[in-house]
Amino acid sequence: MGRRVVALGLADPTFQLVGAIDHADSDQAGQDSGSVAGEAPSGVEISAQWPALDDASSPKAVVDFSLPEAIDGCIEQCVKTQSPLVVATTGLSEEQQQRLAEAAKAIPIVWAPSMSLAVNLSMKIAEQITAALKDVSGGLDVEILERHHRFKADAPSGTALKFGELIAGQLGESTQHVHGREGHTGARTREEIGYHAIRVGDNPGEHTIVFGMLGEKIELNVAASNRDCYASGALAAAKWLIQQQKGPGLYSMFDVLGMA
């Protein structure tokens, strides 16, 4: 993802790349970030050190697309430099989410489990479907299937959990979240949302929300064909923070898309 953020950022003349951060043991440390991303040299080396910039050239936005282990240092640096932050990293602990909320009192932060514009539009549609059908005669069953590449470390995906959170907000407080099923589970209850995580090959991400009723169903499917949709969404969020000159706060991709 870091490579694609760099590549698409370099292709957009409204951006200037000023730093490319990786962990100290990275095999790419010291290499040109543009070259590593498969593009022309950018003149910016990959480093574990944050760039030392004066006020005139200070970064306007930081995009974090890494791992939960890196987010604390990123938050600390952004608060120190008063840099707007886009957090595209998933799998954050509750403590890390709380740190994000605290940091958002000092700097503007866009945080979303998926940067994909199509995914976020689908989330809004899922909310609307649930609101319209939650009281349908015979009941509404909701199941969430997500597919990702074999290397993904967390399950279910943060995107699947966000879909479930938004749907549960429409169904009510009694909603239960069930992760997979095995054995003699008995009949499905009316209050549950089921999650199923599939890990296959190099799938960059696919989510299917099944709304089942007696006699009919709706399947809402959104799928990425490559990772550029996530990188371009993160850059769109960074651009939104800069252009809107947002004050401190915790924002979502719904804000970026004008759907909040």
Side-chain angles (χ1 to χ4, degrees):
M1 285 312 312
R3 291 184 178 95
R4 297 314 301 157
V5 170
V6 167
L8 295 184
L10 290 173
D12 187 333
T14 63
F15 284 109
Q16 178 185 1
L17 182 67
V18 295
I21 313 300
D22 206 342
H23 61 87
D25 297 326
S26 170
D27 294 338
Q28 284 80 41
Q31 298 183 39
D32 185 274
S33 56
S35 299
V36 171
E39 305 296 326
S42 66
V44 176
E45 289 187 354
I46 297 172
S47 173
Q49 301 299 317
W50 289 78
L53 302 169
D54 57 34
D55 291 339
S57 59
S58 61
K60 301 300 183 183
V62 172
V63 175
D64 178 83
F65 229 133
S66 57
L67 296 169
E69 293 81 0
I71 190 65
D72 292 337
C74 184
I75 293 172
E76 181 180 353
Q77 178 68 23
C78 288
V79 170
K80 177 181 176 181
T81 59
Q82 289 294 286
S83 300
L85 173 61
V86 176
V87 178
T89 298
T90 62
L92 303 185
S93 67
E94 291 186 7
E95 291 79 9
Q96 289 173 320
Q97 294 178 36
Q98 183 58 40
R99 290 190 196 103
L100 268 184
E102 286 297 318
K105 297 176 182 178
I107 59 173
I109 298 174
V110 170
W111 175 43
S114 175
M115 290 288 127
S116 162
L117 303 183
V119 164
N120 283 279
L121 286 166
S122 297
M123 286 178 176
K124 273 297 183 186
I125 294 170
E127 275 191 304
Q128 293 172 337
I129 292 173
T130 307
L133 298 176
K134 64 181 180 179
D135 297 320
V136 67
S137 177
L140 175 67
D141 303 325
V142 182
E143 299 279 309
I144 300 174
L145 294 80
E146 57 101 342
R147 304 183 186 202
H148 282 86
H149 52 87
R150 65 176 66 157
F151 306 105
K152 187 168 177 59
D154 56 317
S157 68
T159 300
L161 294 174
K162 185 63 176 181
F163 267 110
E165 175 190 326
L166 294 171
I167 290 168
Q170 297 295 327
L171 292 177
E173 295 181 358
S174 62
T175 304
Q176 301 173 0
H177 300 268
V178 178
H179 299 276
R181 296 185 180 86
E182 183 179 6
H184 187 71
T185 60
R188 187 190 198 283
T189 70
R190 294 279 296 272
E191 289 78 27
E192 65 190 61
I193 297 175
Y195 298 83
H196 310 276
I198 300 168
R199 297 292 175 263
V200 288
D202 60 354
N203 192 320
E206 180 176 357
H207 294 80
T208 301
I209 318 302
V210 182
F211 300 90
M213 297 157 283
L214 298 181
E216 58 185 345
K217 67 178 173 64
I218 297 172
E219 289 194 12
L220 177 62
N221 177 266
V222 57
S225 56
N226 60 53
R227 291 176 173 80
D228 280 9
C229 61
Y230 307 122
S232 61
L235 290 171
K239 191 175 295 187
W240 180 80
L241 283 173
I242 296 167
Q243 293 178 343
Q244 298 293 320
Q245 297 183 331
K246 303 301 288 187
L250 191 58
Y251 304 99
S252 72
M253 287 301 287
F254 291 167
D255 293 295
V256 176
L257 289 167
M259 300 188 303

